[in-house]
Amino acid sequence: MPSGIAKAPIFGTTTFTYMAQQKKLVYVVDDDPMQVQMMSDHLIEKFGFDVRGFSTGEEAVNNLTNHPDIVVLDYYLNSVKAEARNGAEILRFIKKEFPNIQVIMVSGQDSMEVAVDTMTYGAADYVVKGDNQFVRLQHAVEKLFVNERLHERVNYYRSLSTISIVAVVLIIVLTVVLAAMGVI
Amino acid sequence: MAYQHIDLAFLEQFTKGDKGRMAKYIRMFLQAAPPGIDAMRVHYKARDWEQLKSAAHSLKPQVGYMGIGAIKESVQRIEEYAREQKRLEEVPQLIERVHDTCEAAFGELRQAAQDLEAQA
């Protein structure tokens, strides 16, 4: 995900403070315009994202070169266009070609099989449509930020430990050289 | 205002009482739902169970948002029967139940949208 400063959320609440140096770009893909509108409105209201809606996975895929940070992807995308590719196929394509894009799958079906499938193909989370979907979508996005922060911290400490090792080695070499020269 | 077929509690909570937004979502539902119900009839006649499932699947969350509780189960059953291709002989009756209840709900929703727009 591109640079941004996200404060870690307080677990168990919906309170989340998000600050971004650059607005994150989010694609919402659903064949139901009402779903696109409601999820987009919610993400804009809660996070201030730059959100773009698409009614098919193909349209979203054709715009992936804009490098969205997150794609919110419906599992079933063929209620309007019967020949439209389903969300699982689109997910596999995205994760193969753009592995850094985080995908949150959304489905009206509370099915363990669908959930396992989508997670296996690399989805970051799975949200079931219904009255709670917007809160759950919000939590899924917050979880992505937490993971992003953890990843940044791991990288930071990894860099720090590398620098420390190099410094210790330099001190040892310097000590040996100075000792050999009789300076110490 | 008390309604018989709809409950706007979810929309009110979702929009934090923003009447303009509530009306916007209601208008979207009023535009999408009638063709969605017609599509279920067409797909049943064509014995296209996959598309019937998709049409019911799309309608399911929408009726929830509009609080049309009386048909939530019927829509779920249409989706389930189409997906599993079982008890298909019951589907036309379920579609008609959805249609009749929605027709009544549409009237209330139109009125609600008008009222909300007037207050926004």
Side-chain angles (χ1 to χ4, degrees), chain A residues 104 124-127 135-145:
Chain A
I104 298 171
D125 218 325
Y126 175 72
V127 172
V135 172
R136 292 182 65 177
L137 176 61
Q138 188 182 329
H139 287 174
V141 171
E142 289 169 359
K143 205 168 82 181
L144 285 180
F145 288 147

Side-chain angles (χ1 to χ4, degrees), chain A residues 31-35 37-38 41-42 45-46 74 76 78-79 82 107-109 129-131 133-134, chain B residues 10-11 14 16 21 24-25 28-29 50-51 53-54 57-58 60-62 64-66 79 83:
Chain A
D31 54 357
D32 175 1
M34 194 170 157
Q35 283 287 339
Q37 187 72 58
M38 291 177 81
D41 287 352
H42 191 69
E45 185 195 335
K46 293 292 171 188
D74 187 24
Y76 293 109
N78 64 344
S79 74
S107 171
Q109 203 177 321
K129 282 182 188 172
D131 293 1
Q133 90 181 71
F134 302 99
Chain B
F10 169 79
L11 274 189
F14 179 70
K16 296 188 179 73
R21 273 179 68 197
K24 177 177 78 174
Y25 300 136
M28 289 187 89
F29 175 75
E50 181 63 29
Q51 284 302 106
K53 182 200 77 181
S54 288
H57 184 79
S58 291
K60 191 171 63 176
Q62 293 179 5
Y65 304 148
M66 299 297 136
E79 184 189 4
R83 185 178 60 239

Side-chain angles (χ1 to χ4, degrees), chain A residues 166-183:
Chain A
V166 170
V168 168
V169 169
L170 280 175
I171 290 168
I172 292 168
V173 169
L174 194 63
T175 308
V176 170
V177 169
L178 291 175
M181 291 168 68
V183 178

Side-chain angles (χ1 to χ4, degrees), chain A residues 58-107:
Chain A
E58 286 84 345
E59 276 177 60
V61 161
N62 288 338
N63 285 278
L64 287 178
T65 45
N66 293 327
H67 297 288
D69 302 288
I70 302 170
V71 176
V72 179
L73 182 62
D74 187 24
Y75 191 82
Y76 293 109
L77 291 164
N78 64 344
S79 74
V80 179
K81 289 182 185 169
E83 70 282 5
R85 287 160 71 190
N86 72 27
E89 288 176 76
I90 301 296
L91 166 67
R92 281 202 296 265
F93 177 84
I94 293 174
K95 295 311 286 185
K96 186 173 167 237
E97 301 296 327
F98 300 87
N100 290 334
I101 296 176
Q102 301 292 337
V103 181
I104 298 171
M105 289 300 288
V106 180
S107 171

Side-chain angles (χ1 to χ4, degrees), chain B residues 55-120:
Chain B
H57 184 79
S58 291
L59 193 62
K60 191 171 63 176
Q62 293 179 5
V63 298
Y65 304 148
M66 299 297 136
I68 313 174
I71 54 159
K72 217 173 167 181
E73 198 194 321
S74 298
V75 177
Q76 266 170 358
R77 282 165 65 186
I78 295 168
E79 184 189 4
E80 182 194 337
Y81 296 167
R83 185 178 60 239
E84 296 175 13
Q85 294 181 29
K86 67 174 189 187
R87 299 170 73 170
L88 291 165
E89 69 285 356
E90 294 177 31
V91 170
Q93 202 181 350
L94 289 168
I95 294 174
E96 289 321 301
R97 187 182 302 164
V98 170
H99 172 265
D100 294 347
T101 308
C102 275
E103 278 300 313
F106 291 157
E108 290 187 352
L109 286 168
R110 277 188 209 101
Q111 187 59 53
Q114 268 180 23
D115 294 346
L116 288 163
E117 281 160 354
Q119 294 165 32

